[in-house]
Amino acid sequence: MTATDVAGNARTVEGSATADTTPPTAVDIQTANGGTTIGKPEEKDSITYTFSEPIDPQSIVAGWNGTATNVVVRMVDNGLLGLPTGNDELFIYNAANTATLPFGGVNMGRGDYVAGLLGGTITFGANGTASTMVMSGNTVTVTLGTYAAVGILVARTTAAGTGAMTWTPVATPYDRAGNVMSTTAAIQSGAARKNF
Ligand SMILES: [Ca+2]
Ligand SMILES: [Ca+2]
Ligand SMILES: [Ca+2]
């Protein structure tokens, strides 16, 4: 390539600008207890998605610049299929609680964060204090807002033991070069623990 200095002197140098052709991947998924009980999903608890590189916040929410913005967290009893032996799953919805944001799903690694006689969903931030998400470098952290049960036969419970979460992304977020996210899942690093 040719480099030209301010005086107009040009010389040819070896090498070239490196184009980013590497898709972002899921690296880790972790939670933190910010409430009063470890293992019980509560307001002020948080979940952090770690990507392999910074992603464009606008590929998560149109117009988002990565600063704190309102979302709704849903946890589904036994997963979307409602199988009685299934693990609970977590999804991030938009502030209106009408559409999923493209994080994909998080399998909680256990089935005792949400219990329902007929399956069901609990939410954080759909009413009362909103859940919020914020981007910092390679990570997005979502802090839970006010808890609510959707229906009378479902409720949150406190996990009785440890487990490891699995984050399965969707091919929607992209990096700053426009490379779309890999869908390869990430398993929570470290020793199995009670999440939230
Ligand atoms: Ca990249
Ligand atoms: Ca907690
Ligand atoms: Ca369950």
Side-chain angles (χ1 to χ4, degrees), residues 76-79 84 86-88 110-116 157:
V76 182
D77 182 39
N78 297 326
N87 289 333
D88 301 328
R110 298 185 60 87
D112 53 1
Y113 293 97
V114 190
T157 50

Side-chain angles (χ1 to χ4, degrees), residues 1 15 82 89:
M1 76 186 195
E89 286 188 276

Side-chain angles (χ1 to χ4, degrees), residues 20-24 52-54 175-179:
D20 176 7
T21 57
T22 305
S52 58
E53 58 179 308
D175 64 19
R176 287 162 185 177
N179 300 298

Side-chain angles (χ1 to χ4, degrees), residues 127-146:
N127 317 100
T129 301
S131 295
T132 59
M133 70 172 177
V134 64
M135 179 177 288
S136 178
N138 295 4
T139 67
V140 174
T141 296
V142 179
T143 301
L144 275 53
T146 302

Side-chain angles (χ1 to χ4, degrees), residues 1 13-19:
M1 76 186 195
V13 295
E14 293 298 316
S16 60
T18 303

